[in-house]
Amino acid sequence: MKKLFFSVLIIASIKTQAQQDMKMKSFVGGLMSRMTLEEKIGQLNLVVPGGGTVTGAVVSQDVDEKIRKGNVGGLFGVTGPERLRKIQDIAVKNTRLHIPLIFGLDVIHGYRTVFPIPLGLSASWDMALIENSARIAATEATADGICWAYSPMVDIARDPRWGRIAEGSGEDPYLGSRIASAMVKGYQGSDYSKGNTLMACVKHFALYGAAEGGRDYNSVDMSRIKMYEYYLPPYKAAIDAGVGSIMTSFNDVDAVPATGNKWLLTDLLRKQWGFRGLVVSDYTAVNEMSAHGLGDLQAVSAQALRAGLDMDMVGEGFLTTLKKSLQEGKVTLQQINDACRRVLETKYKLGLFEDPYRYINEARPARDILTPATRAAARDIAARTFVLLKNNRQTLPLKKSGTIALVGPLANSKNNMLGTWAVSGNLNDAVTVLDGMKNVAGNDVKIIYAKGANITNDTALAKNVNVFGPRAEIDAQTPEAMQQEALNAANQADVVVAVLGEASEMSGESASRSDISIPECQQQLLKALVKTGKPVVLVVMNGRPLTLGWEAQHVNAMLDVWFPGVEAGNAIADALFGNYNPSGKITASFPHNVGQIPVFYNHKNTGRPLEGKAFQKFKSDYLDVPNEPLFPFGFGLSYTTFSYSNIKVSNAQPAGNETITASVTLTNTGSYAGEEVVQLYITDPVASVTRSVKDLKGFQKIKLQPGESKEISFRISPEQLKFFNSDLKYIWEPGEFIIQIGTNSEDGEKITINWK
Ligand code: BGC
């Protein structure tokens, strides 16, 4: 009975969907029948007027005039209901067909309430938390007139030199897919036209994170199996979650720039994956196809349209050349119509034809943006992204008594707390670590602050990271004087907390580094602090995995806090004083040194795998560094300890499409309540193609009281055993599988099963 009821419901909803689609098609068709060629091409033009947030090298000119002429489909980088109402007025009141504009923005990790950078958010392994961060961001952005967010960024990255690793979820396709889907749900809700939800835009399609040498915008070349297995799943997951739009990437894919790649944008995206939404280029990516070597602006614009691109961001190649290309037979009217229809359908789905001012409400910013409730959420979320990398003899949590020397160039900085890509954030909203420590410590703690060092003494590097304003200022005091002040503080203290790392703009777009250590002058400070013999807690700020070999050996405790957002200082103090017990786990491996890169957990076995850790001649290893990273994927400690025991499966010899369960007993063996991310990995030791040594296939975040035990189970079916074979078929092959359940990608309980 129940089943029948649900089937009727599903059929009814499919029917309504089909009716809605018909209604949309007939509305858009009717509108297009009245449009001139120029008006159609105008809809494909996405501009950035300047004066607001500019994220690329050029800005659009004469925007008001272009809107009036029907030469603009949408714009981005402008916020605020008052300004956007004026702009929408031009489109709706002063153009021939009154077609509304869509307003986009880079809403990446929060809006004005800035959350931790995405790499940090991913370290929470908490899908509800991540979804909620996107939900709050959507509420705030729509309150400010935005209906289209250029997020989630889901590019898999195995190279921490690449600055944009900060914007994604690390190295794993399964975790990356789960996060992609959570973020789309958070932004779009069940319907993105509600006025407080918005349309998400998954980016950068595709493979942008595999830039050679980690240098931004560099070429990408990889096998199809590697694409399908490791790099494409998160984009696909966002599409399956219903994302409304997708942004192409700057790089080439199979030697054709993504923005003009027909295989990528039409064969894969639309035909294989069934994507029906909007495809927009990245910033001037159409024009950049010329530098890639694909011809002049007319040629590359025609190629991009033919490939399946709908909207041209900033570069105006479509606007200025498509008419000529049509006359010369280089594109067809059908291709222009298809792109225009998809832009108009997007506006229809956003409800803009019904009400062009749906997202424009002057009363909302004061009510919805940066409220006490969103700040409280930001504080809670940030604390849950921190990763405890080391904690010798329980140096942490700190006691709420005694004297603390708080030192480091990031200890009293507002400018670096928000992290990269916080275009709507206000640096002044950020809580410094010093203020946070004072807020949380209580009256029995004395805090002595000293800056101790610059972020870097290298003036050329400082200049490069200060393009959006001061992030790595060089102090008027000499390095020696600063260091001495810090040592004086340390000598008076019971414990030293050193807040060191990168400036916020040392990661992000166009911020690749070839040396990913903590800058030299800060290392010198740390060495001097360690020499005092006082216990040293290192709080690391970073937009990428860093090389922290010396630090990991010599400091007493190490907490990675990424860039935590507006509530940085409060959240850090919550974690340091134990009001929150850290539960994050890293989502990208931390290498010993740059020469090890790429180092990632789901690598291949090779024909000459190293057994054990010691160097062996004629095995796949290095003379001078281990094969394993310094900290593996999935690693993170807690103030308490957890033990894993008693791994078992419901059936060690399953057959066909059976579903089995694999379980372990997890026990909190320490003295604090805490959360553990229990991770499931599967190894397929024999297959028709070479497989990775293991793949993440599931995880659960579990909270346990001291002494408490719980059985944690995962369901496993052949779906989790599937891989892409040489024919790019997604299949599984019977045989032996090793199930590993544990605390990180290297350590866990194992059991072997035989699946027939
Ligand atoms: C970035 C995109 C961003 C776009 C618009 C580009 O430079 O690669 O991620 O969405 O600018 O700001």
Side-chain angles (χ1 to χ4, degrees):
M1 191 62 194
K2 219 171 166 186
K3 240 182 170 171
L4 183 71
F5 174 72
F6 282 118
S7 311
V8 171
L9 264 187
I10 290 168
I11 293 169
S13 84
I14 293 173
K15 247 179 147 176
T16 13
Q17 185 60 48
Q19 280 163 354
Q20 277 169 4
D21 276 5
M22 290 258 293
K23 238 172 111 185
M24 175 174 79
K25 293 240 163 343
S26 111
F27 175 87
V28 169
L31 178 58
M32 282 180 63
S33 69
R34 290 182 286 133
M35 290 172 83
T36 62
L37 175 65
E38 287 78 4
E39 282 164 340
K40 287 177 183 169
I41 293 173
Q43 286 301 310
L44 317 185
N45 194 27
L46 177 63
V47 298
V48 66
T53 319
V54 176
T55 58
V58 292
V59 294
S60 318
Q61 303 302 319
D62 307 322
V63 168
D64 287 9
E65 186 51 26
K66 281 183 184 146
I67 298 173
R68 229 168 256 124
K69 282 199 199 141
N71 282 343
V72 176
L75 57 80
F76 72 101
V78 180
T79 57
E82 288 85 5
R83 284 185 76 191
L84 290 175
R85 182 179 292 281
K86 281 193 193 133
I87 299 174
Q88 192 67 301
D89 274 347
I90 309 178
V92 173
K93 297 181 180 158
N94 299 336
T95 63
R96 198 178 73 88
L97 291 170
H98 320 292
I99 300 173
L101 299 164
I102 45 173
F103 298 129
L105 195 80
D106 288 287
V107 181
I108 309 294
H109 48 111
Y111 185 74
R112 177 83 181 261
T113 303
V114 178
F115 299 110
I117 55 165
L119 187 63
L121 285 171
S122 72
S124 73
W125 296 60
D126 183 334
M127 298 307 111
L129 171 153
I130 290 171
E131 183 176 332
N132 189 36
S133 76
R135 179 84 290 283
I136 294 170
T139 304
E140 292 195 343
T142 53
D144 233 2
I146 298 303
C147 57
W148 186 21
Y150 301 148
S151 172
M153 189 281 215
V154 303
D155 304 321
I156 294 296
R158 292 171 166 181
D159 191 332
R161 289 172 298 183
W162 190 52
R164 301 197 80 169
I165 195 171
E167 288 175 60
S169 299
E171 71 190 33
D172 182 66
Y174 174 78
L175 179 63
S177 298
R178 294 277 304 269
I179 291 174
S181 160
M183 291 200 75
V184 171
K185 282 189 201 132
Y187 288 127
Q188 297 194 164
S190 55
D191 167 6
Y192 55 73
S193 72
K194 283 207 168 132
N196 66 352
T197 50
L198 45 66
M199 180 173 73
C201 183
V202 63
K203 68 189 187 186
H204 306 83
F205 194 58
L207 325 179
Y208 182 32
E212 277 175 7
R215 200 183 74 206
D216 208 359
Y217 318 125
N218 206 358
S219 195
V220 171
D221 199 0
M222 68 171 72
S223 72
R224 287 276 160 104
I225 288 196
K226 187 169 174 182
M227 276 184 212
Y228 275 84
E229 196 72 36
Y230 301 106
Y231 283 81
L232 294 176
Y235 310 105
K236 172 77 163 46
I239 286 162
D240 292 343
V243 76
S245 63
I246 189 162
M247 187 186 292
T248 66
S249 56
F250 291 123
N251 54 282
D252 52 344
V253 170
D254 264 348
V256 180
T259 304
N261 190 316
K262 184 166 175 298
W263 172 77
L264 190 70
L265 303 187
T266 298
D267 300 349
L268 179 70
L269 180 64
R270 297 214 184 268
K271 292 189 181 151
Q272 273 190 48
W273 291 356
F275 179 65
R276 293 168 61 203
L278 180 75
V279 181
V280 63
S281 79
D282 202 346
Y283 211 109
T284 59
V286 173
N287 315 54
E288 291 167 24
M289 287 169 61
S290 295
H292 274 288
L294 280 273
D296 65 12
L297 187 59
Q298 184 189 350
V300 296
S301 302
Q303 178 171 342
L305 184 82
R306 289 196 305 265
L309 185 76
D310 301 322
M311 251 190 155
D312 172 8
M313 188 190 283
V314 183
E316 305 206 327
F318 277 6
L319 187 73
T320 55
T321 69
L322 281 188
K323 189 174 174 186
K324 187 159 178 258
S325 290
L326 179 66
Q327 286 157 354
E328 293 171 2
K330 293 182 175 133
V331 299
T332 63
L333 186 59
Q334 181 67 45
Q335 284 156 349
I336 295 175
N337 281 342
D338 283 347
C340 176
R341 180 175 47 76
R342 289 194 283 251
V343 174
L344 296 174
E345 283 181 0
T346 301
K347 294 180 177 181
Y348 184 96
K349 288 187 225 160
L350 279 163
L352 294 174
F353 286 111
E354 223 173 82
D355 177 8
Y357 303 94
R358 174 164 293 198
Y359 294 83
I360 299 180
N361 175 348
E362 286 74 0
R364 279 192 63 198
R367 193 182 73 207
D368 288 344
I369 298 178
L370 196 66
T371 65
T374 64
R375 269 199 179 273
R379 179 171 179 167
D380 180 59
I381 288 173
R384 289 166 191 277
T385 67
F386 301 159
V387 183
L388 185 64
L389 293 173
K390 181 178 181 184
N391 194 18
N392 255 14
R393 285 196 224 109
Q394 304 217 315
T395 310
L396 289 175
L398 298 173
K399 288 191 204 65
K400 288 189 179 167
S401 62
T403 302
I404 297 173
L406 178 66
V407 300
L410 292 157
N412 190 23
S413 162
K414 276 179 179 276
N415 289 2
N416 287 294
M417 295 304 102
L418 303 187
T420 187
W421 277 114
V423 297
S424 324
N426 183 336
L427 299 177
N428 282 325
D429 294 338
V431 179
T432 65
V433 181
L434 177 58
D435 285 339
M437 295 285 277
K438 286 184 188 157
N439 293 341
V440 174
N443 296 333
D444 296 338
V445 177
K446 184 175 169 200
I447 297 171
I448 311 174
Y449 162 74
K451 183 170 173 185
N454 292 313
I455 286 182
T456 174
N457 289 343
D458 176 343
T459 48
L461 177 64
K463 186 166 163 258
N464 294 346
V465 302
N466 288 342
V467 281
F468 297 134
R471 300 289 188 275
E473 311 98 300
I474 302 213
D475 206 281
Q477 288 186 82
T478 63
E480 294 74 23
M482 277 195 282
Q483 182 163 314
Q484 195 49 54
E485 198 192 344
L487 293 178
N488 293 345
N491 285 325
Q492 296 169 60
D494 302 306
V495 56
V496 179
V497 174
V499 191
L500 309 181
E502 299 186 295
S504 59
E505 296 303 330
M506 282 168 79
S507 60
E509 185 169 355
S510 189
S512 295
R513 296 178 67 197
S514 68
D515 171 356
I516 56 168
S517 59
I518 292 179
E520 175 74 30
C521 60
Q522 295 185 64
Q523 287 188 40
Q524 278 171 13
L525 169 66
L526 189 65
K527 284 179 183 157
L529 291 168
V530 166
K531 257 200 181 151
T532 64
K534 297 288 167 105
V536 175
V537 175
L538 172 60
V539 175
V540 196
M541 285 194 189
N542 48 339
R544 54 160 61 82
L546 298 176
T547 48
L548 296 171
W550 189 92
E551 293 81 350
Q553 262 186 31
H554 292 93
V555 301
N556 301 73
M558 199 149 87
L559 184 72
D560 194 321
V561 299
W562 317 107
F563 292 101
V566 273
E567 283 289 317
N570 286 330
I572 290 170
D574 285 341
L576 290 177
F577 285 108
N579 292 0
Y580 181 74
N581 179 0
S583 63
K585 305 262 191 177
I586 57 172
T587 58
S589 308
F590 278 44
H592 283 278
N593 63 22
V594 168
Q596 251 194 334
I597 297 170
V599 59
F600 49 94
Y601 87 92
N602 47 0
H603 57 84
K604 300 282 180 88
N605 202 41
T606 81
R608 293 188 175 189
L610 180 69
E611 276 146 31
K613 305 222 164 168
F615 172 81
Q616 285 176 52
K617 196 74 185 163
F618 306 122
K619 295 286 184 184
S620 179
D621 53 9
Y622 295 101
L623 285 169
D624 55 355
V625 73
N627 281 1
E628 291 77 25
L630 178 64
F631 297 114
F633 174 83
F635 177 84
L637 304 170
S638 164
Y639 295 154
T640 195
T641 45
F642 292 99
S643 80
Y644 286 76
S645 60
N646 197 22
I647 188 165
K648 53 181 196 266
V649 287
S650 59
N651 181 2
Q653 307 227 316
N657 272 339
E658 209 175 307
T659 296
I660 62 164
T661 55
S663 57
V664 284
T665 305
L666 177 72
T667 307
N668 181 341
T669 48
S671 45
Y672 296 87
E675 290 147 286
E676 166 75 338
V677 180
V678 180
Q679 301 160 41
L680 165 75
Y681 296 87
I682 300 182
T683 303
D684 183 357
V686 181
S688 57
V689 294
T690 59
R691 304 287 322 278
S692 55
V693 292
K694 64 187 76 166
D695 288 301
L696 181 74
K697 292 293 175 184
F699 58 86
Q700 294 176 40
K701 196 162 182 175
I702 305 291
K703 183 163 185 177
L704 291 183
Q705 298 301 320
E708 194 184 348
S709 279
K710 207 171 181 177
E711 189 173 278
I712 313 298
S713 329
F714 293 91
R715 290 165 72 79
I716 302 175
S717 75
E719 221 21 63
Q720 283 126 297
L721 310 178
K722 285 186 176 169
F723 61 94
F724 287 93
N725 71 5
S726 293
D727 302 324
L728 295 180
K729 294 226 164 68
Y730 195 49
I731 54 143
W732 68 283
E733 293 168 352
E736 199 176 281
F737 296 92
I738 302 158
I739 313 285
Q740 173 186 323
I741 305 179
T743 183
N744 63 55
S745 59
E746 279 180 11
D747 304 310
E749 296 272 291
K750 287 182 186 164
I751 189 167
T752 301
I753 60 173
N754 207 314
W755 210 305
K756 286 191 255 314

